[in-house]
Amino acid sequence: MPELPEVEITARRLDRAAAGATVESALAPGMVALKTFDPPLDALAGTTLQGVRRAGKMLVVEFAPQGGTGGELALLVHLMSAGRLQLFDKRASLRDRASRILVRLDGGCELRLREFGTQQRAWAKLLPADGVDRDEAVSKLGPDAFPAPPAEEFAGILDQPRHLHPLLRDQRAIAGIGRSWVDEILWTARLSPFRKATELDSEEVERIRAACDECMGGALEHYEEVIGDSVPDKLPMPLQVHRRAGEPCPRCGARIESVHFKDYVMCYCPEEQTGGRVLKDRRLSRLLK
Ligand SMILES: [Zn+2]
């Protein structure tokens, strides 16, 4: 799932490549991904693509009318776990079943929302540009995780009696962190995913805040270095513990352990995060019942 650093680098690269282009036409093959019908997707034809920015883990592509007819429009895109928004220099074959939304630009380029796998969960909404911040997907977002909010605000976000792992992934509490970067942030802060946020002292809260900046800022710096003009299908995520169960912890050498949930895996270093305790793997305990 693309999270703040992955969506941010996507927005930056798309903005660099596509801003200023004229839209020739737009279509949504199958119509499944487009959640709005007014204004129609056709309204993009003849507009200028103004730019691409990020809102939480979503992308906002902004369009302005040419010649002063109609208002500015914005395509709000949520990639969910398997979507990608990419610019291609050729148009998609209409047989490409991964295509969800195609925005054809002058010069033969095409901005394409694609989704891999069998689930169709990625979505887009075409909205009046000034309606983006009022849309419920955006208006309920907490402050961005990067740059991390100031200490006092951050402490307020964590003042909830919830486990750190789900709390940090709650977009309404803090925006941009998902299942990959939460493992990295908690490992960097040397805190258990099952610690209750309200039980942290101020020094521990500050460690999480610093880890947000270190992990997400570090990832973004990495992407700026290694990603060229276009963002590949699979980003080279600089992960140290997530998806690394069974490998030695890069800091202390202990074996990275994992807890499997229905649709994700939590990874952590028992030596540094849980006082040496290996947490119960729910997948195994279910099998043993
Ligand atoms: Zn360790």
Side-chain angles (χ1 to χ4, degrees):
M1 154 105 59
E3 300 173 28
L4 187 152
E6 293 74 37
V7 177
E8 177 65 26
I9 194 72
T10 301
R12 288 182 188 181
R13 289 300 183 265
L14 288 176
D15 185 78
R16 195 163 78 184
T22 297
V23 177
E24 291 185 349
S25 62
L27 56 151
M31 296 299 289
V32 182
L34 191 66
K35 289 172 76 171
T36 53
F37 56 90
D38 183 28
L41 202 52
D42 278 348
L44 290 179
T47 62
T48 301
L49 195 159
Q50 293 285 91
V52 184
R53 64 181 174 91
R54 179 184 59 78
K57 293 193 280 188
M58 292 169 280
L59 289 156
V60 184
V61 189
E62 292 168 319
F63 302 88
Q66 291 178 351
T69 51
E72 296 191 352
L73 297 171
L75 192 65
L76 176 66
V77 179
H78 200 313
L79 303 170
M80 298 303 287
S81 54
R84 298 289 182 270
L85 189 67
Q86 291 158 308
L87 190 68
F88 292 87
D89 55 9
K90 283 201 200 75
R91 283 165 182 184
S93 155
L94 289 178
R95 287 197 303 270
D96 178 2
R97 293 175 60 187
S99 291
R100 298 287 178 265
I101 291 178
L102 313 172
V103 179
R104 293 173 167 173
L105 305 172
D106 57 345
C109 288
E110 185 172 81
L111 183 66
R112 201 180 301 163
L113 173 62
R114 299 164 77 215
E115 190 172 22
F116 302 97
T118 50
Q119 285 188 313
Q120 300 205 2
R121 295 176 61 217
W123 57 258
K125 293 178 183 177
L126 185 62
L127 303 164
D130 60 6
V132 171
D133 291 344
R134 287 196 305 270
D135 186 87
E136 59 173 7
V138 176
S139 65
K140 289 181 182 158
L141 290 175
D144 255 356
F146 177 79
E152 203 172 313
E153 186 183 355
F154 196 79
I157 292 166
L158 261 54
D159 190 18
Q160 294 189 53
R162 299 172 62 189
H163 291 145
L164 288 175
H165 201 273
L167 175 57
L168 291 171
R169 286 187 292 117
D170 182 346
Q171 302 305 296
R172 291 165 302 182
I174 187 162
I177 304 171
R179 292 158 184 181
S180 300
W181 288 107
V182 69
D183 282 354
E184 301 295 313
I185 288 166
L186 290 173
W187 176 78
T188 301
R190 295 176 164 86
L191 288 167
S192 166
F194 291 109
R195 277 289 291 281
K196 268 217 181 99
T198 36
E199 289 166 3
L200 301 175
D201 63 33
S202 56
E203 186 269 333
E204 289 168 324
V205 169
E206 188 51 30
R207 249 153 56 197
I208 300 179
R209 199 176 79 89
C212 284
D213 278 337
E214 188 181 330
C215 294
M216 305 209 125
L220 203 44
E221 250 173 56
H222 170 74
Y223 294 146
E224 280 289 3
E225 259 172 47
V226 301
I227 290 176
D229 288 335
S230 59
V231 176
D233 287 349
K234 243 187 152 30
L235 272 102
M237 293 177 78
L239 301 170
Q240 315 230 49
V241 282
H242 187 70
R243 297 197 209 118
R244 292 188 181 273
E247 295 181 24
C249 168
R251 236 173 7 216
C252 75
R255 186 189 138 100
I256 305 272
E257 295 290 345
S258 60
V259 183
H260 287 251
F261 293 86
K262 185 168 156 276
D263 47 6
Y264 69 101
V265 182
M266 172 196 285
C267 295
Y268 65 99
C269 169
E271 197 57 40
E272 297 177 290
Q273 289 177 259
T274 58
R277 276 182 309 127
V278 173
L279 305 170
K280 195 160 73 172
D281 188 324
R282 289 162 193 234
R283 181 187 52 171
L284 281 178
S285 46
R286 213 171 27 240
L287 288 174
L288 291 173
K289 258 185 206 160

